[in-house]
Amino acid sequence: MAKMHAHQIDVTDDDARRLVATQFPQWAHESVRRVPSYGTTNAMFKLGADKVVRLPFIPGDGVGVPVETAILERIGDELPVAVPRVLATGRPDERYPYTWNVLSWVEGEMPVPEALVDAAGLADDLIDVLARLRELPTEGVRVAQRGGTLAPLADPVHDTMSELDGEFDTDALHRLWDDALGAPLWPGDPVWLHADLLPSNLLVDGRGRLAGLIDWAAAGVGDPSCELLAAWNVFPAESRALFRERLEARLGLDDATWRRGRGWAISQAVLALPYYRATNAGMVEMATRALRALEQESV
């Protein structure tokens, strides 16, 4: 498997088995198998039938394990869909350098935008989650990964977009990006955010309804516009319009928030596609799909 990051370490099935057996012997008899993932910072291993081992493979992400653990413990019982429960936190050893964890397995499949079984129902389910997050107390919660403004990304996105000339309508994307940068800032108090609502983090059941929401590593509080990543990554055009209408009705979504949200979708896809082009086909597929949707937008 090609490495996604220059400073990425190798993590193997044997590492997962050894760490579980030595630190959590009550699970040593259970099977361990690597789970294919679009993730960019953790290796995932299913442990038995109902658990998952997450082993960070880049420096610094081990620091994020305790942070995400605290987030999951704070919001886990508050949402109308399943989120992973933290079952154990592991230590580094002489062969593996980072803090890691064991989580409950959340059942479901990643939604495919072109094949949503119940797009309206999925939109309602996701809005239910966003509405509940806004009701949770925010005192002492860190700022989410995408909870601030777009301003720090202005130059990186403009510069990276040039690498996509000829592949996408970058003139249109530049106009949308500049429009997002010029949109009024969020005037309200910070709210709870998942902050990474890509298809790979949503799980749907056989009816196409939202069953689970995973990977809370980016979560925290801030401007809710980043939650609109889902609009261009999860929903095709017709369903996207429905998602927007229902957000307006339920949560008072305004035009400025939609414009900033479009900026978050542009920045995520533009920065991800060239970076992961040769190493993470799933991320490239998601970014490509989002940019195809975005280049059809107008300001």
Side-chain angles (χ1 to χ4, degrees):
M1 180 183 298
K3 290 187 177 182
M4 289 178 279
H5 315 288
H7 49 300
Q8 180 176 333
I9 65 169
D10 292 321
V11 179
T12 68
D13 294 43
D14 287 341
D15 290 322
R17 292 190 186 97
R18 182 190 75 255
L19 289 164
V20 169
T22 57
Q23 298 187 31
F24 305 108
Q26 69 271 30
W27 298 321
H29 65 286
E30 300 197 38
S31 62
V32 175
R33 62 178 178 85
R34 193 165 192 139
V35 178
S37 168
Y38 291 1
T40 60
T41 59
N42 295 276
M44 310 280 287
F45 302 85
K46 192 167 186 181
L47 175 61
D50 58 357
K51 295 175 288 296
V52 62
V53 176
R54 288 210 315 169
L55 299 178
F57 50 59
I58 59 173
D61 202 61
V63 177
V65 169
V67 172
E68 185 179 10
T69 295
I71 288 171
L72 290 171
E73 289 175 345
R74 188 160 179 172
I75 57 91
D77 295 327
E78 300 289 344
L79 300 183
V81 296
V83 301
R85 290 180 294 108
V86 181
L87 303 177
T89 300
R91 307 178 307 277
D93 70 3
E94 68 282 356
R95 292 164 58 187
Y96 177 78
Y98 308 130
T99 303
W100 54 284
N101 58 14
V102 181
L103 305 171
S104 61
W105 179 264
V106 180
E107 290 290 345
E109 299 292 333
M110 185 179 75
V112 178
E114 297 83 5
L116 297 181
V117 175
D118 183 358
L122 180 58
D124 284 339
D125 294 340
L126 188 53
I127 293 169
D128 285 344
V129 172
L130 299 180
R132 180 60 184 139
L133 282 172
R134 291 200 186 187
E135 295 172 349
L136 300 182
T138 59
E139 183 179 358
V141 183
R142 67 172 189 172
V143 176
Q145 182 175 307
R146 299 184 176 98
T149 73
L150 292 163
L153 296 174
D155 290 339
V157 170
H158 270 301
D159 294 344
T160 306
M161 213 180 288
S162 64
E163 299 180 36
L164 306 179
D165 285 342
E167 186 175 0
F168 299 92
D169 184 350
T170 50
D171 288 341
L173 294 174
H174 275 297
R175 287 194 297 272
L176 294 172
W177 179 237
D178 290 339
D179 180 69
L181 291 172
L185 300 180
W186 173 246
D189 293 329
V191 299
W192 264 100
L193 313 168
H194 177 276
D196 200 17
L197 293 180
L198 299 174
S200 52
N201 294 330
L202 278 64
L203 298 173
V204 297
D205 61 22
R207 302 173 301 128
R209 302 300 293 267
L210 186 64
L213 195 52
I214 62 174
D215 195 349
W216 290 78
V221 300
D223 171 4
S225 63
C226 68
E227 304 291 50
L228 295 174
L229 278 175
W232 293 274
N233 283 278
V234 176
F235 298 103
E238 186 174 316
S239 301
R240 187 180 315 125
L242 175 67
F243 183 52
R244 181 175 184 175
E245 289 171 6
R246 296 190 177 184
L247 280 168
E248 290 171 350
R250 289 277 307 277
L251 297 180
L253 173 72
D254 60 11
D255 184 64
T257 301
W258 184 261
R259 291 161 61 194
R260 296 192 309 278
R262 191 161 51 195
W264 284 114
I266 291 169
S267 66
Q268 190 280 328
V270 165
L271 295 176
L273 197 157
Y275 187 85
Y276 294 110
R277 193 184 292 276
T279 60
N280 190 323
M283 287 293 291
V284 169
E285 180 183 355
M286 285 192 293
T288 299
R289 181 189 291 118
L291 290 173
R292 292 293 178 219
L294 286 158
E295 67 183 358
Q296 302 302 314
E297 300 261 320
S298 60
V299 295

